[in-house]
Amino acid sequence: MKISQKGLYALQALMMLARHYQQGAIKIREIAYEENLPEKFLELILVELKNARIVESVRGANGGYQLRRPPSEIHLSEIIRLIDGPLAPLGDAESLREQIDRDAPHRALYKVFLQVRDAAARILEGTSLADIVNDAVPVKTSRRPRKKNDSGVLPMVARNRSANENS
């Protein structure tokens, strides 16, 4: 299994949305800034995540993207399969099982690949966005609270989250 750069960006963006779950929609520009992701590429990824009903877009001045479901209900396996395809090193689990049945001289090799796929699937299916967000080191930058007349301009200086919470 290999996770592409696109898959990694998708996971990073979703982690950011999970950290800000139920705080309203977040503009692509803010996600890109906080996660240090290329904005144009992120835009394409978010459209794909929207089409898969993982995120939803909100229109208007305070619009942007937000998770459709709680972070605890979105598992890494779902995201990786969507962006990068099967978790198996060669095809999917079913094609590996067919290879085990069909290719007797290499059966042991395909069994190992199936075990690798099954182990990865167990871990990724058992790990939600909430799990990795709760276990992650806090991000140094933070979203500014929305004000009624907020222009959406990003701050030039990143603020420490814990310093903001203590003030």
Side-chain angles (χ1 to χ4, degrees):
M1 176 183 71
K2 182 177 180 190
I3 298 178
S4 66
Q5 193 65 51
K6 181 180 177 185
L8 186 58
Y9 287 170
L11 290 166
Q12 291 172 331
L14 289 169
M15 285 179 69
M16 191 271 198
L17 293 176
R19 282 193 301 274
H20 298 291
Y21 183 64
Q22 294 187 323
Q23 294 178 8
I26 303 172
K27 293 181 182 347
I28 291 175
R29 181 180 335 117
E30 292 180 50
I31 299 168
Y33 176 79
E34 187 168 312
E35 292 298 322
N36 195 27
L37 303 175
E39 193 173 324
K40 291 292 183 189
F41 194 30
L42 179 59
E43 194 172 329
L44 298 172
I45 292 168
L46 288 169
V47 167
E48 193 169 342
L49 293 170
K50 178 184 171 190
N51 291 338
R53 304 178 61 89
I54 294 172
V55 300
E56 62 187 0
S57 61
V58 177
R59 294 178 183 241
N62 291 327
Y65 285 88
Q66 60 192 17
L67 297 178
R68 283 185 62 103
R69 296 176 274 157
S72 61
E73 294 178 14
I74 302 171
H75 292 86
L76 301 185
S77 59
E78 177 182 7
I79 301 158
I80 293 169
R81 282 184 179 115
L82 171 70
I83 302 295
D84 289 327
L87 301 177
L90 298 171
D92 58 17
E94 188 55 38
S95 57
L96 282 172
R97 287 185 190 95
E98 288 174 13
Q99 285 294 107
I100 290 168
D101 292 340
R102 239 188 351 235
D103 190 352
H106 304 109
R107 181 172 288 142
L109 176 63
Y110 293 115
K111 283 183 177 180
V112 169
F113 288 152
L114 184 59
Q115 290 171 342
V116 168
R117 180 260 170 224
D118 290 347
R122 269 192 306 279
I123 293 167
L124 296 171
E125 288 167 357
T127 306
S128 70
L129 285 175
D131 295 328
I132 60 175
V133 168
N134 292 336
D135 195 30
V137 175
V139 176
K140 292 181 183 177
T141 60
S142 66
R143 248 181 103 206
R144 296 177 304 162
R146 291 189 186 261
K147 297 176 187 167
K148 190 172 186 177
N149 294 326
D150 191 356
S151 67
V153 176
L154 295 173
M156 294 304 290
V157 178
R159 298 181 303 220
N160 186 313
R161 172 176 275 157
S162 60
N164 289 338
E165 292 172 10
N166 293 333
S167 47

